[in-house]
Amino acid sequence: MCPLNIKTLIMVTANDYPMMKVWLPSLLEKGNYTGDILIINYDLKPESVKQLQTYPNIIIANPVGERQVITDDRFHSFTEALMKIYTNYDVVMWIDGNDVEFRGSLDQLFEIAKDRVCYVVEDHINQDWILGYDLSRQIIKDGRLMWDAIKFRLIVNCGMVVGPAKTMMMIVKWISDRVIDNFGSDQFLLNALVYLYDMFGDPHGEVEKKWNYDARGKDITQVYSEAVVVHRI
């Protein structure tokens, strides 16, 4: 169920098994989600696509990019698809698919996100993320400037971002225009957008970790009991 009078869209891509056996069932059943879902189809089985086409609220789009790293390439496809439909929604979310499970309703988060972009911040600074340093030395335009602005700031996790549809359209396109074919460049750019470019001046901010709970290295019985989105990263 979605908050009253809020039209929502969740954008995702995932391999066939986690999409069909974990991500989608947990969103629909435990999350009781009834809004729209945009799935970028990189490698779904034909029978899975056929099954997904029976859901009236699921939109399936083929990838439009040419890059090998799907975590980066997805932003090209998100941009292409979202540009045609974002005005139909109040709130848009992108979220990882291969390592995410839902344990409850997203309604409260959508309510917050109708007025500002929301994301979860990790407990480590970007300087602890060696890949980020490497990316700043590659072909990301203004990469060194971005790194200097983010390196001592807490990592904004790129695995779940949600906010007003118009702003999310701008964010997705901005990342798409700058992302390189290298794992992690999407997160690098998101952190620059938050800390250096102040998210175009639009309202934004951290939300509770339960909305993108980092469960890496934890036993299933140790996962934060209030976590709504469990992210195994």
Side-chain angles (χ1 to χ4, degrees), residues 176-200:
S176 175
D177 288 343
R178 292 161 178 79
V179 76
I180 63 173
D181 193 21
N182 196 310
F183 182 81
S185 69
D186 54 343
Q187 181 156 294
F188 183 96
L189 289 164
L190 176 64
N191 277 263
L193 194 53
V194 170
Y195 292 126
L196 178 60
Y197 301 111
D198 195 27
M199 202 69 83
F200 312 116

Side-chain angles (χ1 to χ4, degrees), residues 58-214:
I58 292 181
I59 305 163
I60 303 174
N62 292 323
V64 299
E66 300 178 350
R67 303 180 188 275
Q68 296 180 359
V69 180
I70 293 177
T71 53
D72 293 339
D73 192 71
R74 61 181 172 166
F75 282 92
H76 303 299
S77 299
F78 286 162
T79 300
E80 183 75 13
L82 191 58
M83 197 172 296
K84 302 171 185 176
I85 61 175
Y86 78 92
T87 56
N88 297 331
Y89 301 99
D90 301 305
V91 175
V92 171
M93 170 189 287
W94 84 64
I95 191 167
D96 288 355
N98 284 337
D99 49 10
V100 164
E101 177 185 357
F102 300 93
R103 292 194 167 191
S105 171
L106 297 170
D107 285 4
Q108 183 185 357
L109 179 59
F110 287 135
E111 186 69 38
I112 299 169
K114 69 180 182 180
D115 298 316
R116 65 183 176 103
V117 177
C118 302
Y119 43 78
V120 169
V121 174
E122 299 184 18
D123 294 328
H124 303 283
I125 61 173
N126 278 287
Q127 193 171 44
D128 295 337
W129 180 42
I130 302 302
L131 180 59
Y133 174 84
D134 292 338
L135 286 169
S136 72
R137 267 63 183 170
Q138 294 187 34
I139 60 173
I140 294 181
K141 184 180 179 181
D142 296 329
R144 288 174 182 259
L145 175 66
M146 294 180 187
W147 182 246
D148 287 342
I150 73 175
K151 63 184 177 181
F152 297 126
R153 308 297 293 270
L154 291 172
I155 297 170
V156 176
N157 190 287
C158 193
M160 188 289 298
V161 179
V162 58
K166 183 178 179 180
T167 304
M168 290 296 289
M169 178 71 252
M170 295 170 63
I171 293 170
V172 169
K173 187 177 186 308
W174 190 89
I175 293 176
S176 175
D177 288 343
R178 292 161 178 79
V179 76
I180 63 173
D181 193 21
N182 196 310
F183 182 81
S185 69
D186 54 343
Q187 181 156 294
F188 183 96
L189 289 164
L190 176 64
N191 277 263
L193 194 53
V194 170
Y195 292 126
L196 178 60
Y197 301 111
D198 195 27
M199 202 69 83
F200 312 116
D202 287 344
H204 63 91
E206 178 182 2
V207 290
E208 294 178 79
K209 288 181 169 52
K210 69 179 183 178
W211 299 116
N212 188 16
Y213 181 70
D214 181 355

Side-chain angles (χ1 to χ4, degrees), residues 20-50:
M20 303 305 295
K21 301 299 183 182
V22 180
W23 193 94
L24 186 61
S26 66
L27 176 65
L28 298 181
E29 295 167 14
K30 295 180 182 178
N32 197 25
Y33 180 73
T34 58
D36 287 355
I37 303 168
L38 169 66
I39 300 174
I40 306 300
N41 176 17
Y42 280 94
D43 66 350
L44 296 175
K45 296 177 181 177
E47 54 267 34
S48 296
V49 173
K50 187 175 180 179

